[in-house]
Amino acid sequence: MRIGVALGYAGGFKEAVAQVVELEKSGIEVAAVAEAYAFDGVSQLGYLAAKTSSVDLLSAVFPIYTRTPSLLAMTAAGLDYVSDGRFNLGIGTSGPQVVEGFHGVPFDAPLGRTRELVEICRQVWRRERVQYAGKHYQIPLPADRGTGLGKALKIINHPVREHIPISIAALGPKNVELTAEIADGWQPVFFLPERAESVWGDALAAGAAKRDPALGALDVMVGTSLAIGDDVGDRLALTKPTLALYIGGMGAKGRNFYHNLATRYGFGAAADRIQELYLAGRKSEAIDAVPNDLARDLSLIGPRGFVAERLAACAAAGVTTLLVRPVTNDPREAVRFVEELLQLRP
């Protein structure tokens, strides 16, 4: 199991990178950068590439709607170049709140767009003339939709690799199935190892049955909160605002991926209550309504023995890359937590 860190998108930009530099010395193997509606993720990944030498760099994730497929491929090739072949492209749909609310782009056809985008990116990296006649993307643009002057082009530079690993953040059964079919990695959010098989097993198996063997095994990349010690129980409460935000506020009733996931985990009544409170503007009550069991089982927060048990559960559920977020404002404590985790990993 690889161990890495996930950087927040709202914290100190340079401070976070300085911490990654220290953690690289301790032995972490991956640094993941999120992108929402703060600074763009590309800037931080480029800065990380200049400041680090060995860790893999991962976008976690670039929304598929906010860049054209060719621009996304160009960006990935550029980041792979400046990092000497260390970049991994993580993509996902994000959600209507960001895609429509911040970017003003329709949130539509996530499955179809994801498949087509992946195929186009791989064309670009192979330095083929990009010619694609999909349902959602047509390259070059047909004459009846443009000037008629567009022609098929290939990327000018020679990418470091013609196959840059692609991971997809997916939750729903159809999206998970697609991920298991076409992607190098899978980034599930709020991963509860004991429930993973019942929630995603069928979708993963269906996708794997159609998978090209040349892709190799699917890299299961899971993010979680981290604090190790006998006196860190209070840190669990610090994970609840994020859970409340996603379960309660990321979508309307009936259109919230994270609420659906909590329900499938067996926390349906709590998810309904969190959503009711959050959408009514009662955010503090929504946070209080997050079950302790859910917060605990989604985290690595507790004594060494507890964390070791959770690591074993993750390994048994097929997790191959663990991306942690230390729950602390003390950089030295963050390094200590990660170093202890490296000692405990299976």
Side-chain angles (χ1 to χ4, degrees):
M1 182 187 295
R2 296 191 303 167
I3 300 294
V5 292
L7 281 63
Y9 43 73
F13 190 112
K14 294 182 179 179
E15 293 82 358
V17 172
Q19 187 171 88
V20 171
V21 171
E22 289 302 310
L23 291 171
E24 184 179 46
K25 299 173 186 175
S26 299
I28 64 164
E29 294 148 292
V30 190
V33 173
E35 183 176 89
Y37 47 100
F39 289 150
D40 71 293
V42 180
S43 299
Q44 192 160 22
L45 284 160
Y47 189 59
L48 268 169
K51 294 290 186 179
T52 59
S53 59
S54 63
V55 295
D56 281 352
L57 306 179
L58 168 70
S59 54
V61 299
F62 289 156
I64 63 171
Y65 298 97
T66 58
R67 298 172 177 87
T68 66
S70 295
L71 176 58
L72 193 61
M74 292 163 60
T75 299
L79 287 169
D80 205 45
Y81 175 78
V82 297
S83 66
D84 296 320
R86 291 186 285 132
F87 180 64
N88 295 256
L89 175 62
I91 60 173
T93 60
S94 185
Q97 294 78 10
V98 174
V99 172
E100 296 183 356
F102 190 67
H103 293 281
V105 177
F107 186 90
D108 65 352
L111 289 173
R113 288 188 181 277
T114 298
R115 181 183 290 276
E116 293 186 13
L117 184 148
V118 169
E119 292 173 353
I120 294 166
C121 281
R122 288 173 174 162
Q123 271 194 28
V124 172
W125 299 330
R126 292 192 298 265
R127 294 198 77 237
E128 299 172 1
R129 293 190 182 277
V130 182
Q131 300 182 71
Y132 198 86
K135 181 178 179 181
H136 308 287
Y137 301 106
Q138 295 85 44
I139 306 173
L141 197 65
D144 62 353
R145 292 185 53 207
T147 64
L149 299 175
K151 62 179 182 179
L153 301 171
K154 64 181 178 181
I155 189 171
I156 294 172
N157 309 86
H158 289 257
V160 174
R161 295 179 289 175
E162 68 171 26
H163 185 97
I164 295 172
I166 296 176
S167 60
I168 300 175
L171 290 180
K174 291 297 183 183
N175 206 356
V176 171
E177 180 179 338
L178 176 69
T179 299
E181 177 189 350
I182 69 172
D184 301 273
W186 173 40
Q187 294 188 51
V189 70
F190 302 142
F191 187 85
L192 205 167
E194 290 85 356
R195 306 286 176 88
E197 174 63 29
S198 63
V199 171
W200 289 304
D202 290 345
L204 290 168
K210 296 176 283 185
R211 184 178 181 83
D212 183 348
L215 287 171
L218 187 69
D219 187 0
V220 181
M221 314 169 85
V222 169
T224 186
S225 301
L226 173 70
I228 303 176
D230 295 329
D231 58 348
V232 298
D234 58 325
R235 314 287 176 95
L236 197 63
L238 299 177
T239 70
K240 291 187 176 183
T242 298
L243 288 167
L245 168 64
Y246 279 80
I247 295 170
M250 285 294 190
K253 288 186 177 180
R255 293 196 63 194
N256 182 316
F257 313 130
Y258 313 100
H259 176 282
N260 294 344
L261 178 61
T263 299
R264 295 171 73 192
Y265 279 161
F267 293 90
D272 287 345
R273 182 59 176 161
I274 294 165
Q275 187 176 62
E276 176 187 354
L277 291 167
Y278 208 98
L279 295 180
R282 298 158 62 184
K283 295 182 181 180
S284 62
E285 293 177 67
I287 292 168
D288 291 340
V290 175
N292 288 330
D293 289 352
L294 178 62
R296 182 194 66 236
D297 292 346
L298 291 174
S299 77
L300 295 176
I301 296 178
R304 287 175 63 94
F306 171 79
V307 172
E309 290 174 4
R310 301 311 296 155
L311 280 173
C314 286
V319 176
T320 48
T321 299
L322 195 64
L323 302 167
V324 299
R325 299 177 298 274
V327 185
T328 178
N329 291 320
D330 183 345
R332 292 171 298 180
E333 187 174 53
V335 171
R336 179 174 66 80
F337 287 160
V338 175
E339 288 180 342
E340 290 193 43
L341 183 68
L342 288 165
Q343 296 170 7
L344 291 171
R345 69 172 160 181

